[in-house]
Amino acid sequence: MRHFHYKDGEMYAEDVALRDIAAKVGTPVYVYSTATFQRHFTVFANAFKDRTTLIAYSVKANSNLAVLATLAKLGAGADVVSQGELVRALTAGIPASKIVFSGVGKTEPEMRAALEAGIRVFNVESLPELERLSDVALSMGTRAPVAFRVNPDVSAGGHEKISTGKAENKFGIAWSSVQSAYARAAALKGIEIVGVDMHIGSQIDSLAPFEVAIEKVGALISDLRKKGHTITSFDIGGGLGIPYGDNSKTPPPPSEYGALVKKLTADMDVELIFEPGRMIAGNSGVLLSEVVYAKSGEDREFLIIDAAMNDLIRPALYEAYHEIEPVRAPGRNFKTQRYDVVGPICESGDTFTKRRELPQMAAGDLLVLHSTGAYGAAQSSQYNTRPLVPEVLVSGDRFAVVRERPKLEEILRAESIPDWV
Ligand SMILES: *Cc1c(COP(=O)(O)O)cnc(C)c1O
């Protein structure tokens, strides 16, 4: 369910015409719907409302402060992977007690900042990280709450670049080393063991890999307790997929996911932690862009739009599919055309789709790329010195620019030419 729809022949985000946003802010621009964020978070939370649960929204999916503040108001925690994301989450009003820290390469300053803030738990991914964390905590006269991210060696995720739970991936503690890792943690003065963590992939479109992994980790939790470790939380990670509007498999709804997880964990006596990102943010945003040129090639038609791979890298990076629609609703008996929709960057990878049948469009027409609320703006760059794409948040009939488009002077100001050049 998303709140981007046609009304009186025009596409709206909630009660705001996208054409108005384009006129005031310019294109390309990401447009987010508050109601959609709220709905997705609530649907997920409701799936677990009879269990003690922390929903730690994965900040990397969409880290805009206004988005984080919107989710904070609903009771969301945060899963952060850097000091920058930690500061964002705290600034947006997410309490430290609801923040979990993930990632394979946490540095000493990051550990220090998270300990100072008093976060809920560090999801530790290696023994060297554990040793360093213990040292940092001891130097601050405290102990670090820790869960090991274990790697249950299951295959999941819609693309090899977003599969994380296989033995070959860089993530987590190898399954055969988990027991010795907990034993080592129990011996370290700066560490307090609190739980177990996993995250097996992203855009997962079936429940089967979750089922396999949760059962495996459930047995592990029993084992660890028998060895005397205190396990109070089980972090199941994120990864639940969303519909992208193509014909690939439709992921299970959060209610089915919730029912399965509750069933599998009913007797585990653990607090559940989740780290959903895409499921909350993906369909809460669109990338709004204008057609610069319609161009005829040798054997195909191109729509060259003013958004590019620096604004949205998912098609180039993961061969991702994004539904494309014109902002002006196609009239009755409209004509269609097969288009390659491309950006202006000098790389063939700057292609959003190939030979997609769309309503005929011309220069000056506005269009949207749907389902770009997650891993869209968050992965954008200034490649080709294209200013970082701005972000707009809509709520009802209001909208606000929540990240401005930088001016060229601002981009250049961060650089300098040494006097010896
Ligand atoms: C990326 C990530 C998530 C979120 O994944 P989604 O597929 O967006 O739900 C959760 N946890 C960790 C550790 C991650 O790296």
Side-chain angles (χ1 to χ4, degrees):
M1 173 73 194
R2 62 189 190 203
H3 293 75
F4 301 95
H5 49 80
Y6 289 119
K7 195 163 72 179
D8 306 328
E10 282 284 316
M11 190 174 295
Y12 278 68
E14 302 187 27
D15 300 323
V16 177
L18 291 181
R19 189 171 302 282
D20 290 347
I21 294 175
K24 293 213 176 78
V25 187
T27 53
V29 57
Y30 279 97
V31 181
Y32 307 135
S33 153
T34 300
T36 314
F37 276 110
Q38 288 169 333
R39 190 186 145 75
H40 290 163
F41 185 84
T42 308
V43 163
F44 198 90
N46 283 346
F48 299 100
K49 66 172 179 292
D50 45 355
R51 282 286 293 266
T52 317
T53 302
L54 170 63
I55 301 172
Y57 166 68
S58 177
V59 171
K60 75 177 197 277
N62 184 325
S63 55
N64 189 283
L65 278 180
V67 168
L68 298 180
T70 299
L71 295 170
K73 268 176 126 179
L74 300 170
D79 169 35
V80 303
V81 294
S82 69
Q83 188 172 356
E85 286 192 357
L86 171 67
V87 171
R88 276 183 185 278
L90 292 169
T91 305
I94 296 174
S97 61
K98 290 185 181 178
I99 296 178
V100 308
F101 200 146
S102 302
V104 293
K106 300 177 199 77
T107 63
E108 209 173 299
E110 289 180 320
M111 292 171 175
R112 205 169 282 283
L115 285 166
E116 263 162 25
I119 66 162
R120 162 78 63 101
V121 60
F122 290 85
N123 291 330
V124 170
E125 304 215 19
S126 68
L127 284 176
E129 180 192 341
L130 181 79
E131 305 282 341
R132 187 167 302 172
L133 180 59
S134 178
D135 289 346
V136 173
L138 282 177
S139 77
M140 296 171 67
T142 186
R143 298 171 80 197
V146 159
F148 280 108
R149 173 167 176 183
V150 299
N151 186 333
D153 192 18
V154 298
S155 181
H159 189 275
E160 61 170 296
K161 288 199 177 101
I162 52 177
S163 172
T164 57
K166 288 284 293 165
E168 70 206 43
N169 296 129
K170 69 180 176 181
F171 300 101
I173 304 282
W175 195 252
S176 56
S177 311
V178 170
Q179 297 287 353
S180 57
Y182 275 89
R184 179 66 187 143
L188 286 172
K189 295 258 184 316
I191 298 295
E192 182 194 359
I193 296 169
V194 299
V196 179
D197 167 51
M198 67 177 217
H199 172 71
I200 55 175
S202 200
Q203 188 53 18
I204 299 171
D205 59 12
S206 90
L207 292 176
F210 288 112
E211 181 160 11
V212 174
I214 291 171
E215 281 185 329
K216 248 179 129 166
V217 175
L220 172 71
I221 291 173
S222 305
D223 268 8
L224 292 170
R225 284 175 171 159
K226 279 188 203 123
K227 299 218 164 74
H229 302 298
T230 306
I231 305 296
T232 57
S233 62
F234 178 10
D235 185 334
I236 291 172
L240 189 59
I242 61 164
Y244 274 100
D246 57 353
N247 294 323
S248 65
K249 276 208 248 166
T250 309
S255 54
E256 276 176 32
Y257 170 81
L260 175 79
V261 172
K262 280 196 292 189
K263 188 187 81 183
L264 295 173
T265 59
D267 299 325
M268 287 186 197
D269 187 27
V270 283
E271 172 171 6
L272 296 176
I273 301 178
F274 297 95
E275 304 168 348
R278 187 190 311 272
M279 192 268 139
I280 305 285
N283 276 317
S284 303
V286 298
L287 176 56
L288 174 60
S289 179
E290 185 178 303
V291 177
V292 185
Y293 298 110
K295 165 176 167 173
S296 295
E298 194 67 61
D299 63 345
R300 63 189 68 205
E301 298 298 312
F302 294 96
L303 284 180
I304 302 169
I305 65 175
D306 65 1
M309 64 190 286
N310 70 299
D311 307 307
L312 175 68
I313 204 168
R314 298 192 69 256
L317 197 55
Y318 316 118
E319 289 139 21
Y321 179 100
H322 289 280
E323 189 185 347
I324 297 173
E325 285 187 314
V327 165
R328 187 186 310 285
R332 228 179 292 169
N333 306 324
F334 64 92
K335 288 206 176 64
T336 66
Q337 176 74 53
R338 277 191 187 279
Y339 288 116
D340 284 17
V341 180
V342 303
I345 285 181
C346 314
E347 302 210 14
S348 301
D350 188 20
T351 298
F352 293 109
T353 188
K354 283 189 174 157
R355 304 190 72 82
R356 176 98 52 97
E357 187 163 7
L358 295 170
Q360 260 186 3
M361 283 183 255
D365 285 349
L366 295 169
L367 56 77
V368 296
L369 291 120
H370 282 290
S371 312
T372 48
Y375 308 111
Q379 293 198 78
S380 60
S381 76
Q382 302 199 122
Y383 186 39
N384 276 213
T385 311
R386 293 167 48 86
L388 214 52
V389 58
E391 297 168 274
V392 162
L393 182 66
V394 170
S395 177
D397 60 3
R398 291 173 299 185
F399 73 90
V401 178
V402 294
R403 183 172 80 187
E404 285 183 26
R405 193 189 311 276
K407 297 191 168 52
L408 285 173
E409 308 88 84
E410 290 167 336
I411 298 174
L412 296 188
R413 202 178 299 139
E415 299 173 27
S416 58
I417 302 170
D419 56 13
W420 43 260
V421 172

